[in-house]
Amino acid sequence: MKALFSRPCAKKTLLSLFICLNMVMLVHAGDWVIAAREFTFTQKVSHSEAEKSLCKMVPSLILEQLNTEARRVPPVDEMNARKYESLLQERQALFLELSAAVKRRDSILVQESNARAIKKKIESEEKKIQEIQDKIQANLDESEKYMPGAVFDLSDEKEAEVLPGAEKLALYKGDSSSLFVPSEDVLKEGVKSRRYEKAVIDSKINAMISGSITIYERYLSISTEITLYPGAKTISTVMEVGSMDDIARIARSTAQKILPVIVNTSGTALHFEIEPSELTSKARVTVDGLPVKINSPIIVPASTHTIEIQCPGYITQTVTYLFQDSPHFVIHVPLKEQSDGMFSVMLKNPVDGQMYFNSEAVGNGLDGAQVTINGRNIIGQLAVQDTNAFFIILPSLQQNENSLVIPVVPNDLEAEIEKRRIWSYRGYTALILTLPFTFYSLGHFNSAVNAYTSASIPYEEVKKWDTLRWTSLGITAVAAGFFIYELVRYLCTASKALPARAREAKPGELEAINSKVIQIKNDALNMEEQNGSDIDDSNTNKATEEAVKKE
């Protein structure tokens, strides 16, 4: 699908985006808390007290350098991780409720002696247990939507009017000198453990700065990592080297490299214009897989996003674009109605192979294919044994009951291109090798003419060099022609790498193609019969030989 991104004065085209100049204020969604823990040494040797102090000093200095007025727009995967963690904790609490309810139900038989009361209380507890189980199942179903790599279901009615807003960067406990210190039991299980992650989440921390220090003499290397929570996903690693007297510069440089990753730009507002306008309420729009409502601006991080617009009865439009360098984009989407019907496709040179349209198998190369009109470019592939050929079918050719022909031939294109390249090099080499002889003969001919003019040499000597001159020029001309010929062949072969374009069948062309298909199938059938006959004759000969041996 073609998409044109231009300034507001440009002409509106399919999914064209117009960059406006007015600023859009970001939504403030709360604080995004960043913390740091004590750095560690990579070397298992004893360190001085001054060196040990660096493990706390460096992360504190990095936090101090971070701009606490900055804001971060959490991407969709980060918001998904938060939601998934929230559902996990809710599910764990529901499981505790379930275990308590089951124990209460099982204790009724011991606590009660009246059969009617026992039945009534058990029914009541069973009802509570079922309600808790339904909640757990609903939680599990909801959690699937927010698992890492999950894609949002367009049928889900819970759509977002705006994507996650900007969150203000805040330091852990509001103090750069306050480092995160988990309990000894948590540290024993390791920083990669689920228990450590839960301790970070319970402390309302969104990102953790950690690092390692390597010291040699008076110089050190500091490696710093930023890890997002929940999910324990590392989003940046920074390495700095300097002297121990230059700790402040190292911390400042590290913070400068970390801050753009944390802030991830200010954000961009997306406005949608759907045509016809009456389809605005029916259109289903997703940004990076997240369904959104388009009756208000959509705030997204200034980065690459994929937008998809669907509407029943209309062709789905999709575009991926880098939204940056402007706080405001207008996305104009003229929807086109879907065309019903099918069209047929045949190969101009039919072969026995598998045809694929947009990675889906649709038919055999001999029989062609019947294709449903989708109104979008179709990238096709013809696979024959170890060779492939590609082609494209433009939307303008996708008309009901239309017959298309694809002029494509599968071959080992890489080997063919390499062959033509080698021959073009040979032609160039031959041309270069002839030039010294040509220049040599031309030079001697000119010298001979000058000598003859001054009566220094006889005419026969001039005639000899004249003959050599024309001979060498002829050889050079042949070599040049050969080189140009091979170069053209090389360029023509290289151009075959581009997908062939389907076209409408010419009058009588389909009949000729069908005749070729019938001939190919008959030849294949005759070959199978011949092979079968050869096998029968071979088996008969073997049986005769065995009978002779037995006699």
Side-chain angles (χ1 to χ4, degrees):
M1 178 186 64
K2 295 182 179 178
L4 176 63
F5 301 88
S6 61
R7 296 288 173 181
C9 59
K11 184 180 178 180
K12 294 181 179 179
T13 56
L14 181 61
L15 281 180
S16 57
L17 290 90
F18 302 89
I19 304 177
C20 303
L21 300 178
N22 49 318
M23 295 295 294
V24 177
M25 296 301 294
L26 295 178
V27 179
H28 179 222
D31 289 341
W32 194 81
V33 179
I34 184 169
R37 59 184 174 88
E38 187 175 332
F39 283 16
T40 59
F41 289 110
T42 59
Q43 301 151 304
K44 295 181 180 180
V45 296
S46 60
H47 295 277
S48 65
E49 291 301 320
E51 292 173 343
K52 290 179 181 178
S53 67
L54 296 175
C55 292
K56 294 183 178 180
M57 181 190 302
V58 173
S60 296
L61 288 174
I62 293 174
L63 287 176
E64 184 179 340
Q65 295 294 326
L66 292 176
N67 178 14
T68 56
E69 295 301 319
R71 298 182 184 276
R72 173 180 172 84
V73 180
V76 174
D77 57 349
E78 185 175 339
M79 298 301 295
N80 286 354
R82 295 184 192 178
K83 182 65 175 179
Y84 186 78
E85 178 65 27
S86 173
L87 291 170
L88 175 60
Q89 294 184 6
E90 177 186 332
R91 193 160 63 249
Q92 291 172 343
L94 288 172
F95 183 77
L96 293 177
E97 289 184 28
L98 179 62
S99 64
V102 171
K103 290 178 181 178
R104 286 197 304 270
R105 182 198 61 188
D106 295 343
S107 65
I108 293 174
L109 293 173
V110 179
Q111 297 174 356
E112 293 287 343
S113 57
N114 186 288
R116 181 175 296 180
I118 290 174
K119 182 179 179 181
K120 185 176 180 180
K121 289 185 177 182
I122 287 180
E123 288 178 353
S124 177
E125 291 299 329
E126 287 284 1
K127 184 177 179 181
K128 293 179 181 178
I129 290 173
Q130 185 59 48
E131 290 177 354
I132 296 173
Q133 289 177 336
D134 292 342
K135 290 180 180 180
I136 293 176
Q137 186 58 49
N139 182 290
L140 289 170
D141 295 340
E142 184 74 8
S143 297
E144 290 184 1
K145 303 176 184 178
Y146 300 97
M147 293 180 66
V151 178
F152 282 85
D153 185 0
L154 292 178
S155 63
D156 190 357
E157 295 299 328
K158 296 180 180 179
E159 297 175 325
E161 293 188 3
V162 293
L163 292 180
E167 299 178 344
K168 182 176 178 294
L169 183 64
L171 301 182
Y172 176 59
K173 295 184 178 181
D175 184 8
S176 61
S177 62
S178 296
L179 301 181
F180 175 72
V181 182
S183 65
E184 290 294 331
D185 292 339
V186 172
L187 285 177
K188 286 180 181 178
E189 295 191 18
V191 296
K192 299 294 185 181
S193 65
R194 169 61 189 170
R195 192 173 178 185
Y196 180 87
E197 181 179 356
K198 190 175 186 305
V200 173
I201 296 170
D202 291 343
S203 300
K204 309 299 182 184
I205 295 173
N206 298 102
M208 180 69 67
I209 295 177
S210 59
S212 58
I213 302 174
T214 304
I215 300 178
Y216 287 105
E217 300 297 334
R218 294 293 301 170
Y219 294 91
L220 60 119
S221 170
I222 300 178
S223 176
T224 307
E225 285 188 357
I226 307 178
T227 305
L228 291 182
Y229 291 92
K233 178 183 177 182
T234 300
I235 60 171
S236 180
T237 301
V238 177
M239 177 80 71
E240 280 290 339
V241 177
S243 69
M244 295 186 63
D245 299 328
D246 205 13
I247 296 299
R249 183 199 63 79
I250 293 175
R252 183 168 58 252
S253 176
T254 301
Q256 289 174 350
K257 294 177 181 178
I258 286 175
L259 191 58
V261 178
I262 295 174
V263 174
N264 74 353
T265 69
S266 58
T268 298
L270 306 182
H271 289 261
F272 290 84
E273 293 182 357
I274 307 293
E275 287 188 2
S277 58
E278 58 268 20
L279 297 177
T280 302
S281 59
K282 300 178 182 180
R284 305 297 299 270
V285 180
T286 64
V287 178
D288 297 331
L290 176 64
V292 296
K293 290 183 178 179
I294 58 176
N295 52 5
S296 60
I298 308 300
I299 307 300
V300 298
S303 61
T304 301
H305 299 283
T306 298
I307 299 172
E308 184 174 88
I309 300 94
Q310 294 183 347
C311 189
Y314 290 82
I315 299 172
T316 298
Q317 309 289 359
T318 305
V319 66
T320 299
Y321 186 69
L322 177 59
F323 295 92
Q324 66 176 17
D325 300 329
S326 176
H328 193 139
F329 286 83
V330 177
I331 305 175
H332 180 71
V333 188
L335 293 175
K336 292 185 178 181
E337 291 189 28
Q338 284 184 336
S339 300
D340 295 329
M342 302 184 71
F343 62 95
S344 63
V345 176
M346 291 290 291
L347 297 179
K348 180 180 179 182
N349 300 293
V351 292
D352 187 9
Q354 184 65 51
M355 295 176 64
Y356 298 89
F357 286 178
N358 294 335
S359 302
E360 294 184 5
V362 294
N364 187 275
L366 291 176
D367 301 324
Q370 293 288 326
V371 189
T372 302
I373 298 172
N374 67 1
R376 290 187 287 181
N377 288 331
I378 295 177
I379 303 298
Q381 176 185 357
L382 174 62
V384 180
Q385 296 179 352
D386 296 332
T387 60
N388 294 278
F390 297 90
F391 53 89
I392 185 171
I393 302 176
L394 300 177
S396 58
L397 296 175
Q398 299 177 27
Q399 304 296 330
N400 189 31
E401 297 184 359
N402 202 9
S403 298
L404 304 182
V405 172
I406 304 173
V408 66
V409 178
N411 52 18
D412 190 354
L413 191 58
E414 183 178 354
E416 188 176 348
I417 291 176
E418 181 64 16
K419 179 182 177 181
R420 296 274 63 85
R421 183 185 66 82
I422 291 173
W423 275 102
S424 65
Y425 283 169
R426 288 173 179 172
Y428 177 74
T429 302
L431 174 62
I432 296 300
L433 290 177
T434 63
L435 293 178
F437 299 98
T438 301
F439 293 143
Y440 179 79
S441 61
L442 282 172
H444 273 273
F445 172 75
N446 292 331
S447 298
V449 170
N450 293 332
Y452 175 77
T453 304
S454 60
S456 299
I457 61 173
Y459 174 76
E460 288 75 12
E461 186 70 17
V462 177
K463 187 66 176 177
K464 181 185 72 172
W465 285 111
D466 184 44
T467 303
L468 291 174
R469 176 184 64 137
W470 284 109
T471 302
S472 59
L473 283 173
I475 294 174
T476 299
V478 171
F482 177 71
F483 167 63
I484 293 173
Y485 172 73
E486 290 297 337
L487 179 62
V488 170
R489 292 185 71 187
Y490 168 67
L491 295 176
C492 291
T493 304
S495 66
K496 293 179 182 179
L498 298 174
R501 289 197 174 191
R503 57 172 175 78
E504 292 187 2
K506 299 177 182 178
E509 189 172 13
L510 291 180
E511 290 76 6
I513 293 174
N514 289 328
S515 298
K516 291 181 182 179
V517 171
I518 294 173
Q519 183 62 41
I520 292 172
K521 290 183 177 181
N522 289 336
D523 292 344
L525 183 61
N526 293 334
M527 183 66 70
E528 290 180 1
E529 293 177 353
Q530 182 64 37
N531 291 339
S533 176
D534 292 342
I535 292 173
D536 292 340
D537 292 343
S538 177
N539 292 336
T540 302
N541 293 335
K542 288 181 179 179
T544 303
E545 291 176 359
E546 290 178 359
V548 171
K549 288 180 181 179
K550 288 181 180 180
E551 291 179 358

